[in-house]
Amino acid sequence: MKKFLSIVLILVFCALAIVSCKKKAEPVYSGAVMLYAEVDEEIAKEIKSDFEQTYKGVVLDYFYGSFDRMKEKISEGYEIDSTPEADVILLSSKNKMAEILSNSWVEPYTSNEDKKVLNEYKNKEGYSPVFLIDKGDNIIEEYEIALLKGALNKGNGELLIDYLLSKKGQEKLASLGFKSVRKN
């Protein structure tokens, strides 16, 4: 009996050792995310490339164009089937984002990365600036990002916002000439 118990205990310890030594599985990402961006296409391509490399399995599609055209496309989506074509919108001014907010098109989302955003850039509306352009003479243009209400790919939209606010995302944006919104 003692021999049997010893063998069982040894087998249990071996099983525990094997389980604890197994490498933790990497998260699996899939699907797509659609970004409407008011940035230069070259910047959008760089963001796309780095995002897709970070979240293998998620495809970032983007439409870059004028604010009026983005507004029109979003409005059409809500009128047709209450669903926007885009998941995330990135705009180059607070006034433009205020107009999107006034239409109730934004779904509040607080990224875990918001803790790292400098206090002067935080807001209560449920979106955060993602990057800044220093125009000189103490004029800084803020690019604002938000998750659109009813987004088909909400989870991947959240991933995109998290990525752009993350240290890695901010480093990528800095390499493109932008100023960080992060504390570190």
Side-chain angles (χ1 to χ4, degrees), residues 78 82-84 86-88 107 147-155 157:
Y78 285 123
S82 302
T83 305
D87 302 300
V88 177
E107 182 170 317
L147 185 65
L148 290 173
K149 193 175 285 181
L152 291 175
N153 301 301
K154 179 181 174 185

Side-chain angles (χ1 to χ4, degrees), residues 7-71:
I7 292 172
V8 169
L9 282 174
I10 289 172
L11 289 174
V12 168
F13 284 124
C14 287
L16 287 173
I18 290 170
V19 169
S20 66
C21 289
K22 276 189 176 178
K23 192 176 182 182
K24 289 187 179 180
E26 293 292 319
V28 176
Y29 301 102
S30 64
V33 60
M34 180 62 165
L35 170 67
Y36 282 4
E38 197 178 32
V39 295
D40 182 75
E41 185 177 18
E42 290 306 312
I43 293 167
K45 284 180 182 176
E46 288 286 334
I47 292 170
K48 173 183 172 56
S49 173
D50 204 56
F51 175 79
E52 289 178 349
Q53 198 170 33
T54 302
Y55 295 101
K56 291 178 179 17
V58 178
V59 175
L60 171 61
D61 292 316
Y62 61 87
F63 168 79
Y64 75 99
S66 72
F67 174 64
D68 289 335
R69 183 64 185 125
M70 282 188 255
K71 237 180 17 181

Side-chain angles (χ1 to χ4, degrees), residues 143-170:
Y143 279 75
E144 310 270 345
I145 194 164
L147 185 65
L148 290 173
K149 193 175 285 181
L152 291 175
N153 301 301
K154 179 181 174 185
N156 287 339
E158 291 171 353
L159 277 179
L160 177 59
I161 293 171
D162 292 347
Y163 161 76
L164 288 170
L165 290 171
S166 73
K167 185 174 182 178
K168 180 178 182 177
Q170 290 289 296

